[in-house]
Amino acid sequence: MAGPFDHPGPRWFSIPAHRPFVEDLARGLLQALAPLGPEALPAATVLTPTRRGARALADAFVQVAEGAVGGGKALLLPQIRPLGDLDEGEPPFEPGDLSLDLPPAVSSRRRRFELARLVADHAHLLSFQPQASQALEMAKALADFLDSCQIEEVITDDGRLDGLAEGDLAQHWQVSARFLKAVLTAWPRRLDEMGLIDVSDRRVRLLNALSDQWEAHPPQGMLVAAGSTGTAPATARLLRVIADLPQGAVVLPGLDDGLADDAWDKVDGLAGEQHPQGAMKRLLVGAGVTRDDVRPWWPEADSRGRWRRRLINEALRPAEATADWLAQIDRLRAEAPGLDPIEEGLKGLSLVSARTEEEAAVACALLLREALETPGLTAALVTPDQELARRVNARLMRWGVVPDSSAGAPLAASAAAILAQHVAGLAVDPLNPVRLLAVAKHPLLRADAQAARDLELKGLRGPAPRDAAQLLARLESYPEAKALVERVLAAAHRVAAPYMANPKAGQPAAAARALVEALEALADPTDLWAGSAGEGLAGLLSSLITDGLVLPPASAQGFADLLDRLVNEEALRTGGATHPRLRIFGAIEARMVRADRLILAGLEEGIWPRGAPIDPFLSRPMRTRLGLPPPERRIGLTAHDFAQAACAPDVVLVHSERRGGAPAVESRWLWRLKTLARGAGLRLTERPDVLAWARDLDAPGPYDPIKRPAPTPPVADRPRRMAVTRVEALTRDPYAVWARDILRLYPLDRPDEPVEARARGTAIHAAFETFSLEHPGPVPADAAEIFAGLYLGELEKAGMPAAALARERALAREAALWVAELETRRRAGAERIVVEAAGELTFDIGGRPFTVTAKADRIEPTPDGLAHILDYKTGAAPSKKQVETGFSPQLTLTAAILREGGFKDIGPREPGELTYLRVTGRKPAGVEEVRAAAGVDSQEAAIKALQGLRDLIERYDNPKQPYLSRVAPQFVHDHVGDYGHLARVFEWSTSGDDGEGGE
C-alpha cells in the first residue's frame, strides 16, 4: 500500500468521522515512517488544534505501538504541538527569530481592565453611564469584537467605520458605531504606550510569518497538520503551505466524500455557514482543491461505521437539499442490496429522552457507570453544557467515581472565593447580620464554635443593630463572641478604607489590596491561598491590584459587583486522581478524542447548538460591511463537532424535555435524524431501562404519609398555669402548647428580623401605658404631640430602620390625634384608667389546682360598678364569631378573672364592654371594635369562657388526650404558627388528614 508521502503535493487527506481520528493518524504515521528508520518519527512534527488533542495523539502513538507486532519497545514520539492553544513562546510559533520584532502580548485580564477604562472614558458617546461592572462586561464584548477582527484579519483603521451605520439603521447602531470608532482609535495608541499587542493579533502575525518562512525555506522532516478545519484565514494559509511542502500533509477531520454533488454545491452562503462541512469546503475552495483531491488517510474497513457516517451526513445535509430525502434513502439502499444501510447505520445509536435536566444528568451518570461494568471499556460524556457536566460529575461521586472532566469547578463555589465576596460586601453594609454571620462562621476563620454561636444568638438574631456600639453592648457578657465580632468589624473597616474619602469613587485596585489585607487578617494565609481555589483567587486579586489601576472608580457596591462578576467567570481545573476510563468533554475538546461509548448530551435548541451570538455593537449589515463572518458560522462548527461524535460505534443521544421548568425544543440535528429514520420506516433505539434506573435511583418508597403528630405527655408534665393567650393556642393548635409550654422549645428570631410589625404593636402598648401613667388626670392639650413622641421613641428604641421611621411619622400623627380624642372621651366616663394590669384565677379541676393568668392592656372601672376591658391591636382584631366560639378567648377569660376578683387592684366587678382598639394611623386612624356589650352580653361571655376553659383542661387531664396540631384548620392562613415545620404540617395535611376532627 502506498504511503501518504508517496504522492506529490499538495497532500490533503481525511479521516472519516466514524473512524478513531488520533488512532488512525498515529497508525498511518508509524506505517509511513517505519521504512525510514527509528530516527524518522522523532524528527517529524504534528500540529493539532488543541492541547488535549496533542495529549490524545501522544497516548494514541503509545497504544498503537504496543498493539503492533513486536510492540512493547521504547518509542520516541514526534514533536506534537497545538496550533490554537499555545503558551507564548512555545514552538513552532516562535522558532528562530520570528518573534524578535513583535512586542509581547497583553494578558487577558489586563486587556479587559484597560478596555473597561476606555469604555468609561468614552461613556459620553453612549446613551447611559456604565457602572464599573457594566464597563467590565462591555470590555468583554469589545475584546470579543477585537478578536474577531484580528482573527479574520479585518482592517478597521482604513475608514470602514465611518459609514458603518448610515441609512435607515436604528439610532442604537449609530451610537454603537460612533463608540466603536472612538474606542478602536484609542486602543492601538494605548497598546503602543504599553509596548504590547493583542494575543490574537500576535498569533495571526506569527502564523503568517511562519507560513512565509516555511514557504521560502521548507522544514526538514515530515510535517503534518491534523484535525484543524482552518476557520481562521491565517490558519487556512498555514495549512495550504503545509500541504504544498515536500514532506508536508494536512489531515482533515471527517470530510464527507459521500454527500451528493448537488447537496455539496448547496453548502454555500448562509446555509453553508451552518452546515458541518461548511468550514472545510471554504478551506478547500481557498486552497484550490476539490473533494476528489482529498485522499483517505487510512483504508476503510468498518462497514457499519461507514453507513453511520452516511446516515449522519444525510441527516445534516443542507435544508435546501432535503426535499429528496426519500429518494436518497432509496439510493442508499440500492448501494447495498444485501443489507439495509439505514438500519445498519442506526445500530449502536440510541436515544434517552429525559423529563428534566436533572434526570438527564442522572441518566448520563448511569450510562458512564454502566460502562465500567465491562473491563477495559472506555466512556465519555460530550456536552457544551458545563452545568450539565458538573451535575453528572456530582452524580458520579455517589459511587466514588471521579471522571477526567474539562468542565472543572466554578471558583465562585470555593470557600476562599465565598469568603472574599462576603468580606467585600462588608464594605457596603458592615452591620448586615447575615453577612457578619457568614464571615464569622466561615471555616477558614477557624473561629471558636461557642463564640460564633453566642454571636449569632445574643448579637445578631432579631433586629439588626443600629451601630457597632449597640452590637458590642449586646455581647458584653460574652467576651469570646465580642472578640470575634471585633475581629470581623476590624476587617470590615479595613476593606471600607478606600471609600472613606469618596464613598462613590473608590479605586478598584486599592479596594482589591484592602480586601487581601482584610482576608489575611481574618484567615491564615496558608489556608486561604492553598489549593487550586486559593491560587485562582490569588491570581484574580493580584491582577486587580497590579492591572486594575486603570479601572474606573467604583462605589463599595460597584466593587462588590465587579468582584462577583469576575469570580463567577472563573473556572478551576481540578487536579487529583481521576478514573482512567471515564471522561467529560466539551464539544470542541472531543473533536479528536474517541471512547468506546460516547454520550452526547444537551441536545436542545439553545444548548447544542447554541443560538447565534448577539453582538451588542454590530448589526448583521454592519458585520457584513466590515467583512466579518455571520454569527451562524459558530453553528456550523458545532454541527461538525456533533457529526464527528455521532459517528462513533456506540453513541447515546440524551435529550431533556424541559429545562429550567420550561419546555425545551429538541436539537435540530436530533429532530432531523429522527425524521430521516421515520422516512426509512425505522426509529432510533431508546433506552427505557436507563430512564427507569434514573427514576428508581432516588425514588421515594410507597406513598405512606406521616400521620398528624399526637404527642401524649404524662399528665404531671402538662401545664397547670396558663396565660389567656396560651389558652387560645391550646384551643387552636395544641401542638404549639406541647412544644413551647411542655418541651420549652422557643422560636428563634431570624438574623436581621424585620421589626416593623412586632415593633409597632409593642410601641403602641408602651405609648398607651406611659401616657396613662404620666398623665392620669385630664388629658393635656398637647396630648397628640405627646403620644406621637412616645410612640416614635419606642419604635426607635426597638431598632426600626430610618426609612421605616419616616413612614411611621406620618402615621403616628394621624394615630395620635385619634388617641387624644379617644382618651378625652373615655376618661370622662371612667373612675380611672388601669394599664397593664396583672390578674389570675385559680380553681380546682379533678382535685388539682389550675391557674389562668391575664395581663390586661387596659381596664376602665366605671362609677356604676362595671369595668370595661380593652385590648390594643395594630393589625386585624379577632372577629365577633371567633370570640363567641371560644377560638379567641383572651377578652372573655380576662372578664372571667375580673368577675372573680382576680385583679387585686380593682377587685370583683362585672365586666363592661369587651373592646379591641385598632390603631393604624391610616383611614380611619383607629377603630373601637366591641365584641361584647356591657351587662348581660359580657357576663354570659365570661361565664361561657370560664366553663369552656374548665372543659378544655379536663379534657387534657386525660392521659390519652393528645396535643394535636392544627385542630382549627380555618385559622391556618390567618396564623401560620411557630411550630408548623416541627409538626410537619405540609406532609400530613395534604394526605387527607386535615384536622377537621378532634376539638
Side-chain angles (χ1 to χ4, degrees):
M1 183 186 72
F5 299 96
D6 295 338
H7 305 280
R11 299 178 191 84
W12 292 86
F13 299 92
S14 175
I15 295 177
H18 68 276
R19 296 292 304 167
F21 188 90
V22 290
E23 285 84 351
D24 278 8
L25 179 64
R27 189 175 291 109
L29 280 173
L30 285 172
Q31 180 174 307
L33 297 176
L36 303 179
E39 68 279 0
L41 185 62
T45 300
V46 183
L47 305 181
T48 63
T50 62
R51 291 178 183 275
R52 189 176 287 273
R55 291 195 297 269
L57 180 58
D59 293 341
F61 271 111
V62 175
Q63 293 172 7
V64 172
E66 289 178 347
V69 177
K73 298 179 182 179
L75 181 69
L76 293 176
L77 297 179
Q79 299 181 57
I80 305 175
R81 298 288 183 262
L83 264 175
D85 188 18
L86 304 194
D87 284 335
E88 182 183 333
E90 185 175 1
F93 279 109
E94 299 186 18
D97 58 356
L98 283 183
S99 64
L100 293 181
D101 296 331
L102 292 180
V106 63
S107 68
S108 60
R109 285 198 183 115
R110 183 176 184 183
R111 181 196 196 198
R112 188 172 177 187
F113 296 161
E114 292 281 354
L115 287 172
R117 181 74 212 192
L118 288 182
V119 169
D121 289 345
H122 294 83
H124 61 281
L125 298 174
L126 299 171
S127 56
F128 69 101
Q129 180 67 40
Q131 301 297 319
S133 63
Q134 293 173 313
L136 201 67
E137 182 66 16
M138 293 181 70
K140 184 176 184 298
L142 275 174
D144 292 341
F145 169 72
L146 287 169
D147 286 340
S148 297
C149 292
Q150 291 159 2
I151 290 172
E152 297 296 330
E153 301 182 41
V154 172
I155 300 174
T156 58
D157 58 356
D158 60 351
R160 294 192 196 185
L161 295 173
D162 293 337
L164 195 60
E166 292 179 350
D168 57 353
L169 288 180
Q171 183 179 0
H172 164 78
W173 298 118
Q174 296 176 13
V175 170
S176 176
R178 290 194 297 270
F179 176 77
L180 274 181
K181 182 179 179 181
V183 171
L184 292 180
T185 301
W187 179 236
R189 291 201 299 264
R190 178 58 183 155
L191 284 174
D192 289 341
E193 292 171 3
M194 296 187 292
L196 302 170
I197 60 174
D198 285 324
V199 173
S200 298
D201 185 20
R202 193 173 197 275
R203 183 163 294 168
V204 166
R205 294 190 197 184
L206 285 171
L207 281 173
N208 286 331
L210 193 60
S211 298
D212 293 340
Q213 176 171 301
W214 283 350
E215 196 169 26
H217 306 286
Q220 300 298 315
M222 293 185 179
L223 180 61
V224 177
S228 175
T229 56
T231 53
T235 306
R237 183 186 176 206
L238 182 64
L239 294 180
R240 293 196 297 269
V241 170
I242 292 173
D244 287 332
L245 291 176
Q247 298 186 76
V250 175
V251 184
L252 300 176
L255 179 68
D256 184 9
D257 58 356
L259 189 64
D261 290 339
D262 58 341
W264 177 261
D265 292 339
K266 290 184 173 64
V267 181
D268 198 11
L270 188 60
E273 297 286 359
Q274 301 183 61
H275 193 271
Q277 298 290 310
M280 282 185 287
K281 182 176 181 181
R282 288 190 299 273
L283 176 64
L284 294 178
V285 170
V289 298
T290 66
R291 275 193 303 171
D292 295 335
D293 297 325
V294 180
R295 297 189 296 273
W297 175 258
W298 190 257
E300 185 177 330
D302 184 356
S303 172
R304 190 178 84 183
R306 171 173 173 261
W307 295 120
R308 169 72 63 76
R309 173 171 56 87
R310 294 289 300 276
L311 174 70
I312 297 297
N313 290 339
E314 287 298 332
L316 270 61
R317 64 164 39 203
E320 295 82 356
T322 57
D324 63 342
W325 252 352
L326 293 178
Q328 185 63 21
I329 290 171
D330 292 338
R331 285 194 289 268
L332 283 174
R333 284 173 168 164
E335 291 181 25
L339 54 80
D340 185 345
I342 308 298
E343 183 178 3
E344 190 72 11
L346 288 174
K347 289 181 179 178
L349 186 64
S350 54
L351 173 65
V352 173
S353 293
R355 293 170 183 163
T356 64
E357 62 265 46
E358 175 62 24
E359 188 174 87
V362 177
C364 292
L366 285 166
L367 286 164
L368 291 171
R369 178 64 183 84
E370 182 189 36
L372 297 182
E373 296 299 306
T374 303
L377 189 72
T378 59
L381 168 68
V382 181
T383 178
D385 186 354
Q386 287 198 344
E387 182 180 346
L388 177 64
R390 288 170 183 151
R391 284 178 184 238
V392 174
N393 208 339
R395 300 305 172 273
L396 286 170
M397 290 295 292
R398 74 189 306 162
W399 299 296
V401 176
V402 181
D404 178 9
S405 175
S406 65
L411 175 62
S414 67
I418 290 171
L419 178 62
Q421 288 174 286
H422 280 311
V423 174
L426 288 176
V428 181
D429 184 2
L431 291 175
N432 181 287
V434 176
R435 200 175 292 281
L436 280 174
L437 273 180
V439 173
K441 288 191 166 187
H442 196 281
L444 285 175
L445 262 69
R446 297 188 177 182
D448 178 73
Q450 187 58 49
R453 182 166 178 80
D454 288 341
L455 170 61
E456 175 184 352
L457 296 179
K458 307 301 179 182
L460 297 176
R461 283 193 175 268
R466 290 192 304 273
D467 49 39
Q470 186 185 53
L471 175 57
L472 295 175
R474 293 179 183 179
L475 299 171
E476 196 60 45
S477 301
Y478 304 91
E480 292 82 4
K482 184 178 180 182
L484 174 60
V485 79
E486 285 175 339
R487 179 179 160 200
V488 176
L489 289 175
H493 180 76
R494 181 173 298 184
V495 83
Y499 312 103
M500 295 298 183
N502 187 345
K504 295 184 178 181
Q507 292 299 324
R513 183 180 295 277
L515 176 60
V516 170
E517 293 172 354
L519 288 171
E520 292 187 341
L522 288 170
D524 186 339
T526 58
D527 294 333
L528 181 65
W529 311 121
S532 59
E535 292 176 5
L537 180 64
L540 175 59
L541 292 175
S542 176
S543 294
L544 273 171
I545 293 171
T546 56
D547 300 333
L549 293 168
V550 297
L551 282 170
S555 64
Q557 184 62 59
F559 176 75
D561 293 341
L562 183 147
L563 180 67
D564 181 72
R565 183 180 294 278
L566 290 173
V567 165
N568 279 280
E569 291 174 353
E570 292 290 317
L572 303 174
R573 293 294 176 249
T574 54
T578 58
H579 202 287
R581 293 196 281 137
L582 295 185
R583 295 179 179 180
I584 298 178
F585 295 137
I588 297 175
E589 297 159 321
R591 186 178 296 172
M592 295 181 64
V593 183
R594 185 61 58 87
D596 298 321
R597 168 182 287 178
L598 283 185
I599 303 160
L600 310 187
L603 290 172
E604 297 89 39
E605 285 294 307
I607 303 297
W608 202 6
R610 296 195 184 278
I614 298 175
D615 192 326
F617 294 115
L618 298 175
S619 65
R620 287 178 180 272
M622 293 165 71
R623 291 183 65 89
T624 302
R625 291 177 189 175
L626 275 179
L628 291 173
E632 284 77 11
R633 176 167 293 184
R634 185 177 299 178
I635 296 177
L637 298 177
T638 57
H640 178 260
D641 296 332
F642 170 78
Q644 285 284 104
C647 289
D650 182 6
V651 176
V652 184
L653 307 176
V654 180
H655 159 65
S656 179
E657 295 173 356
R658 299 182 71 85
R659 292 189 68 91
V665 178
E666 65 184 14
S667 170
R668 65 191 71 181
W669 307 320
L670 177 58
W671 179 86
R672 281 167 158 250
L673 191 57
K674 291 167 67 175
T675 302
L676 180 63
R678 280 198 301 269
L682 301 169
R683 58 184 301 167
L684 272 67
T685 302
E686 297 189 3
R687 290 291 306 269
D689 55 329
V690 175
L691 288 176
W693 296 341
R695 290 163 187 170
D696 290 344
L697 193 60
D698 295 312
Y703 181 59
D704 185 20
I706 65 164
K707 300 298 182 183
R708 184 169 52 157
T712 54
V715 172
D717 293 333
R718 302 188 182 197
R720 306 303 294 175
R721 182 184 181 89
M722 298 185 74
V724 291
T725 52
R726 302 309 297 156
V727 173
E728 180 176 309
L730 185 62
T731 304
R732 298 185 178 195
D733 188 7
Y735 186 89
V737 174
W738 176 76
R740 184 186 183 99
D741 299 277
I742 299 177
L743 296 184
R744 301 288 193 265
L745 297 177
Y746 302 109
L748 292 174
D749 290 334
R750 291 176 296 168
D752 199 11
E753 179 82 24
V755 301
E756 281 83 351
R758 183 177 59 179
R760 193 177 294 114
T762 303
I764 282 292
H765 282 73
F768 267 112
E769 179 181 8
T770 304
F771 184 84
S772 298
L773 293 176
E774 292 181 355
H775 305 280
V779 177
D782 58 348
E785 290 79 4
I786 295 172
F787 187 88
L790 293 172
Y791 174 62
L792 292 172
E794 291 295 332
L795 289 178
E796 188 173 357
K797 189 187 302 182
M800 179 171 281
L805 271 175
R807 182 192 66 232
E808 287 295 331
R809 285 191 178 90
L811 300 177
R813 284 194 297 270
E814 298 299 322
L817 291 171
W818 180 82
V819 168
E821 186 276 329
L822 172 84
E823 290 287 348
T824 302
R825 174 167 45 82
R826 295 199 68 94
R827 289 189 185 192
E831 294 177 348
R832 57 193 172 107
I833 304 297
V834 182
V835 294
E836 300 299 323
E840 63 178 49
L841 174 63
T842 301
F843 49 88
D844 284 343
I845 299 179
R848 299 171 63 218
F850 179 86
T851 301
V852 59
T853 65
K855 191 170 186 181
D857 289 345
R858 179 176 179 133
I859 299 178
E860 298 175 352
T862 59
D864 57 1
L866 300 178
H868 302 302
I869 301 174
L870 296 90
D871 189 68
Y872 308 130
K873 294 291 182 185
T874 54
S879 67
K880 186 176 181 66
K881 183 178 180 181
Q882 291 172 4
V883 173
E884 291 174 347
T885 55
F887 282 117
S888 296
Q890 181 179 356
L891 286 178
T892 53
L893 284 176
T894 303
I897 295 172
L898 176 67
R899 289 186 75 245
E900 300 294 332
F903 290 94
K904 303 302 183 184
D905 293 339
I906 300 175
R909 290 214 180 199
E910 290 296 335
E913 293 178 343
L914 307 183
T915 304
Y916 288 110
L917 294 183
R918 286 189 62 225
V919 186
T920 64
R922 295 177 173 83
K923 294 183 179 180
V927 179
E928 297 174 71
E929 299 184 10
V930 178
R931 295 294 180 254
V936 176
D937 283 354
S938 59
Q939 293 172 16
E940 290 181 350
I943 294 170
K944 181 180 178 182
L946 185 59
Q947 185 57 48
L949 175 60
R950 290 177 178 274
D951 296 340
L952 186 63
I953 301 305
E954 282 181 5
R955 189 180 310 141
Y956 281 93
D957 276 351
N958 181 352
K960 295 182 179 181
Q961 173 63 37
Y963 284 78
L964 298 173
S965 175
R966 304 290 179 91
V967 295
Q970 61 266 41
F971 299 115
V972 168
H973 297 295
D974 297 334
H975 182 68
V976 177
D978 295 319
Y979 302 96
H981 64 294
L982 191 64
R984 298 166 66 177
V985 169
F986 290 109
E987 295 181 50
W988 54 262
S989 64
T990 57
S991 65
D993 183 6
D994 58 4
E996 289 292 348
E999 298 297 324

